[in-house]
Amino acid sequence: MSGLYLPKEYLAILLFIVLGVGFGVVTLWIGQFFRMKRPYFEKLVAYESGNPPTDEPRMRFSVKFYLIAILFIVFDVEAIYLYSWALVYDKLGMFALVEMFIFIALLLVGYFYGWKKGALQWEK
Amino acid sequence: MIIQAIFIVMTLCTLGGAVGVVSSRNLFHSALYLILSFFGVAGYYVLLSAGFLAVIQLMVYIGAIAILILFAIMFSRESAMNSAKESQANRQRWLGLPVAMGLFISLIAVIIPVNWPIQQTAPTTDMVRDLGVAFLTSYLIPFEVVSVLLSVALIGAVMLAREENPPVKETK
């Protein structure tokens, strides 16, 4: 395992994770020795801004949300490539610019397809 | 020492999460185990000094794809979330076994003969910059194919999500 190397800047993240998880676990663990445990019906009802819940929480969501989520992921992934491209495009010049325009143009085909099909419309 | 401890924790996250995905009775819990598994892989990327990939793993896989999977479970029929009575394997389990074993053996056959170089020092150049150069020069075709793939995903989602006959029971 001598080949493993951990850069020092990640130690802060490690500390953050350990403290974050530790704080949550330890406070809940210590808390159970002090808190009272007397559940009754009103306490166990899901809190909805003071209103009694009207429906089951496990209901079917509209599939339109899925479309929005997929749209988000597609352009999220595109941003990864844009980021790595943006770091080097000044070195590679016009070539890289044309490449990225082709990349985005191919993506826009799908985008305009969705647009024309009314996927961006939120009709009820 | 500390790195070995991190490696072991990350391996437990990755493998334990993966086992949880396939063994959990509740589909929603499976998706949460998947997030744990993704997190372990992000830890591997950090150990491999690939910070950019680790951030992407966190932001895209955990932040977007896992959430999309959770969404997809919520779109599905209600019984899918609590399928305690249903069998976890479907009718094609005996077909799936040789396929999975064949894939495993061929992956091992590819991985074992490769000589994996280990460097004692950290990479000095900017990895993200190298990645960008590689995308735009030697891996140009895969780079553009990614764009086509994303476009296909978009068109496929539009096709799937368009409802010819909207269901009666639906939330706003």
Side-chain angles (χ1 to χ4, degrees), chain A residues 51-119:
Chain A
N51 295 324
T54 55
D55 220 338
E56 281 287 303
R58 302 262 184 281
M59 58 190 177
R60 209 175 150 226
F61 280 79
S62 169
V63 79
K64 277 174 241 157
F65 289 105
Y66 178 75
L67 207 56
I68 302 298
I70 272 277
L71 263 172
F72 167 70
I73 286 185
V74 164
F75 290 101
D76 200 23
V77 173
E78 186 208 8
I80 300 168
Y81 292 95
L82 271 176
Y83 184 81
S84 54
W85 165 81
L87 280 173
V88 293
Y89 89 103
D90 54 340
K91 262 192 271 171
L92 294 171
M94 187 55 91
F95 181 66
L97 193 68
V98 171
E99 279 315 317
M100 193 36 95
F101 268 103
I102 294 171
F103 186 86
I104 293 172
L106 286 170
L107 257 180
L108 284 179
V109 171
Y111 182 73
F112 279 116
Y113 175 82
W115 195 346
K116 284 289 152 205
K117 286 284 178 185

Side-chain angles (χ1 to χ4, degrees), chain B residues 31-43:
Chain B
L32 295 179
Y33 275 121
L34 189 66
I35 293 178
L36 185 68
S37 193
F38 283 156
F39 178 75
V41 174

Side-chain angles (χ1 to χ4, degrees), chain A residues 39-61:
Chain A
Y40 47 88
F41 178 73
E42 276 76 18
K43 250 188 196 174
L44 296 173
V45 166
Y47 184 75
E48 277 187 9
S49 310
N51 295 324
T54 55
D55 220 338
E56 281 287 303
R58 302 262 184 281
M59 58 190 177
R60 209 175 150 226
F61 280 79

Side-chain angles (χ1 to χ4, degrees), chain B residues 112-171:
Chain B
I112 296 260
V114 176
N115 178 33
W116 300 94
I118 296 175
Q119 286 182 340
Q120 296 294 330
T121 53
T124 48
T125 52
D126 189 352
M127 304 267 281
V128 188
R129 212 173 277 267
D130 292 346
L131 201 65
V133 171
F135 276 147
L136 295 171
T137 54
S138 46
Y139 294 100
L140 192 60
I141 298 297
F143 177 67
E144 299 296 351
V145 168
V146 163
S147 178
V148 176
L149 183 71
L150 290 174
S151 225
V152 167
L154 203 60
I155 293 168
V158 172
M159 288 297 291
L160 281 175
R162 262 180 75 231
E163 293 170 6
E164 302 296 337
N165 302 309
V168 182
K169 192 185 162 192
E170 192 181 84
T171 57

Side-chain angles (χ1 to χ4, degrees), chain B residues 45-164:
Chain B
Y45 283 139
V46 170
L47 290 180
L48 291 169
S49 298
F52 181 62
L53 292 182
V55 170
I56 285 173
Q57 178 79 12
L58 278 179
M59 290 185 53
V60 173
Y61 275 83
I62 297 178
I65 289 174
I67 302 302
L68 179 74
I69 290 171
L70 289 174
F71 264 29
I73 291 169
M74 292 197 284
F75 300 138
S76 62
R77 64 206 160 88
E78 283 149 59
S79 62
M81 267 187 271
N82 287 307
S83 53
K85 289 175 196 117
E86 288 175 32
S87 170
Q88 281 168 304
N90 61 16
R91 261 171 283 153
Q92 292 174 326
R93 68 174 91 174
W94 298 115
L95 185 67
L97 182 70
V99 171
M101 280 176 69
L103 182 67
F104 179 73
I105 290 167
S106 48
L107 281 176
I108 290 292
V110 170
I111 289 169
I112 296 260
V114 176
N115 178 33
W116 300 94
I118 296 175
Q119 286 182 340
Q120 296 294 330
T121 53
T124 48
T125 52
D126 189 352
M127 304 267 281
V128 188
R129 212 173 277 267
D130 292 346
L131 201 65
V133 171
F135 276 147
L136 295 171
T137 54
S138 46
Y139 294 100
L140 192 60
I141 298 297
F143 177 67
E144 299 296 351
V145 168
V146 163
S147 178
V148 176
L149 183 71
L150 290 174
S151 225
V152 167
L154 203 60
I155 293 168
V158 172
M159 288 297 291
L160 281 175
R162 262 180 75 231
E163 293 170 6
E164 302 296 337

